[in-house]
Amino acid sequence: MRALVVYESMYGNTHTIADSIATGLRSAGEVRVIPVAEATAELMAWADLVVVGGPTHVHGMTRATSRRGAVEAAAKPDSRVTLDPDAQGAGLRDWLAALGQAKGKEAAAFDTRVSGPALLTGRASSGIASELRHHGFTLVVEPESFLVDRDNALVVDEPDRAIRWGERVAARLTVAV
């Protein structure tokens, strides 16, 4: 199996989760982790499985305005967050809108979001999953959320939980093959 983990990350949390998911997926084969700005058609064609994730902003996937707001928040003198090196690249929403058809390709969706009921926080993974289905992907697992606290730090043990989720995704592929 060849897996491609595509992520959008503003403050590094989603990047960390993407790396952790990749660790779990490696039990089933080769894995590449890339920011959304580097997710080319060639890499998509290479992959048997595409795992896509991003941060939850304003109850869903980021938009240009929420991304600008995140950049501005990180630039404030009293900010506790630092921008991910790839934060100012393309966003998932635009990338997904331009994505071609992928009939028969398997996928999974994840997000990072503030800890709390999804009804109140929203879940970018729901929109990501919907877009992936729209483009012909078959989701092998339900979308998953990984939690950050109110200070935008990953909740303890979330990277380990992401590794285990990646292992479950890999196991689903092994069973499906």
Side-chain angles (χ1 to χ4, degrees), residues 102-128:
K103 291 186 192 276
K105 196 166 291 261
E106 294 179 313
F110 72 97
D111 65 36
T112 53
R113 66 177 176 87
V114 174
S115 181
L119 184 62
L120 299 176
T121 65
R123 294 181 65 198
S125 59
S126 295
I128 294 166

Side-chain angles (χ1 to χ4, degrees), residues 34 108 136:
I34 58 167

Side-chain angles (χ1 to χ4, degrees), residues 38-54:
E38 296 176 19
T40 63
E42 293 79 18
L43 283 172
M44 295 293 289
W46 168 85
D48 301 310
L49 168 72
V50 179
V51 179
V52 181

Side-chain angles (χ1 to χ4, degrees), residues 3-75:
L4 183 65
V5 180
V6 179
Y7 70 89
E8 173 186 351
S9 188
M10 297 306 296
Y11 301 139
N13 294 319
T14 311
H15 187 167
T16 297
I17 294 298
D19 287 339
S20 295
I21 290 168
T23 298
L25 288 170
R26 285 193 177 94
S27 64
E30 185 179 351
V31 182
R32 295 181 187 173
V33 180
I34 58 167
V36 66
E38 296 176 19
T40 63
E42 293 79 18
L43 283 172
M44 295 293 289
W46 168 85
D48 301 310
L49 168 72
V50 179
V51 179
V52 181
T56 301
H57 286 195
V58 195
H59 294 272
M61 286 186 280
T62 65
R63 297 181 182 279
T65 53
S66 69
R67 293 171 58 73
R68 267 194 309 277
V71 170
E72 291 168 5

Side-chain angles (χ1 to χ4, degrees), residues 76-93:
K76 291 182 179 178
D78 61 343
S79 176
R80 294 182 183 165
V81 293
T82 305
L83 284 179
D84 189 83
D86 297 301
Q88 297 192 55
L92 277 179
R93 185 180 296 271

